[in-house]
Amino acid sequence: MRSFSLADFLSLLSALQWTGVLVLIALAFGAPLALGLALMRTSARRALRWTATAFLQLVQGVPLLGLLMFFYFGMPVFLGVEMPPLVAVGIAMTVYTASFLGEIWRGGIEAVKHEQWEAAACLGLSTWHQFRYVIAPQAFRMALPPTVGFLVQLIKGTSLASIVGFVELARAGQLVSAATFQPLLVYSIVAAIYFAACLPLTLWARSLEARLNGAR
Amino acid sequence: MALVDIKNVTKSYGSIEVLKGVSLSIDEGEIVTIIGKSGSGKSTLLRCINALERIDGGEITVEGQSVRTDMPNLRGFRQRVGIVFQAFNLFPHLTVERNITLAPVLNKRIAKAEGRALALDVLARVGLADKIDAYPAQLSGGQQQRVAIARCLAMGPHLMLFDEVTSALDPELVGEVLKVMEDMARQGMTMVLVTHEMGFARNVASKIVFMHQGRVWEEGPPADLFANPRTPELRSFIASAR
Ligand SMILES: Nc1ncnc2c1ncn2[C@@H]1O[C@H](COP(=O)(O)OP(=O)(O)OP(=O)(O)O)[C@@H](O)[C@H]1O
Ligand SMILES: [Mg+2]
């Protein structure tokens, strides 16, 4: 047994990097998918709407933990596909992000009045330009608070990756705690790090919201 | 050849037939005012003219081109036929300048400086050049509607449609919008407008169209129509409108 030292603290901080990597993977792949899902869900074409809805029903019915288990433990059993933890966790987080952000953004798109599409169409804009320049900026403004709320959720959600042995912040906390027998101290520090990672996000969103509201 | 030719147009929403065989022809430079009771199909007809609604029967041609929701080059057509709505429908997240230049920049790829000059030009025509950098929410209803008109003008339309553009305005703001429309009429713009402003219809219109139950019930020059209504429906409409 050893006592908690600066080295332990630094190892927690470096594990935070992996938390960051997971969040970035989830956003890099999940956000474009989310946009696609949101567009499909609001599309005039029934086939697109139904495909997206079916996917969302499937994914949102499963907790994040279940997704992680499926891609890490389930895929090798069912499909014979073995994946390193980072890939399995990355896919699970991506799917999770796509489904939640997709629904948040769909809500934003639907909150923009139908007349805005019509006015843009009457100016001869293409459907994509109508969305890109008229609908999306207004939808973004409305979807911003829930989007940031989800990001905070996502950062905390990465802690579940520890159950498949991926060493991010929560798992590192477990390891340090086992080595030092100071769980209360260690987990308090872990919690504080999560808090410190999420706080700037919340503050940034608040200032951005104020700025966007000021612009009108 | 007429600029707009509407022949026997029918249109239903579900089982309700809203247009029951409308025929109407509009020459270049004409100011046509459509009047009629609520629900008589005025807005629907206007929306059919610029392909916002699909027609079920008959035909509409504008400048010789058959108008359909799936017509080739619908986007180019929309730039030649401007429409202004009761609710302005400005883009709230964009400045007046961007509201006006968005379509020309995206459709005609005009340069930024050129865009500002264009915005100033059309704003001058509606008397709002000093509001070029404002956001819609900073303007009064009358000013917003004038910006909406300017936004249409920036496309260089050959025909403009107006659907009760003064109905959402406070009474004291109606005049400034009507004046802009009068100026446009004087400059030769072909206009079709649905309005409850009988004074405007009487003084500016070259033709009045009275719609009733999805049909063109009566049409003619304002002096004739108002002085000698031939149908009891128009007679009672005129009586109730004053
Ligand atoms: N999208 C729609 N779906 C179903 N019915 C509609 C739709 N739009 C209009 N209608 C119906 O069609 C009829 C004609 O409507 P329209 O808006 O053309 O009348 P209007 O003459 O413009 O009346 P108002 O003076 O009230 O604006 C009305 O009975 C209306 O309820
Ligand atoms: Mg109407």
Side-chain angles (χ1 to χ4, degrees), chain A residues 56-141:
Chain A
L56 288 166
Q57 292 284 340
L58 196 68
V59 173
Q60 293 206 321
V62 181
L64 176 57
L65 185 60
L67 289 174
L68 286 165
M69 301 274 240
F70 173 77
F71 285 106
Y72 190 67
F73 298 114
M75 290 292 269
V77 177
F78 299 131
L79 301 175
V81 188
E82 198 116 7
M83 292 183 276
L86 180 62
V87 176
V89 173
I91 294 178
M93 301 296 282
T94 296
V95 167
Y96 171 74
T97 301
S99 73
F100 275 87
L101 271 190
E103 281 299 87
I104 290 171
W105 291 351
R106 172 185 68 89
I109 292 170
E110 286 178 347
V112 180
K113 277 194 303 207
H114 169 72
E115 285 77 9
Q116 292 281 306
W117 286 98
E118 201 165 85
C122 285
L123 294 171
L125 299 194
S126 66
T127 309
W128 168 247
H129 281 162
Q130 293 167 32
F131 176 74
R132 167 67 186 80
Y133 293 99
V134 175
I135 307 302
Q138 299 183 61
F140 174 75
R141 178 177 298 180

Side-chain angles (χ1 to χ4, degrees), chain B residues 42-44 86 163-164 194:
Chain B
K42 307 181 296 292
S43 299
T44 306
Q86 181 174 339
D163 192 0
E164 296 195 31
V194 174

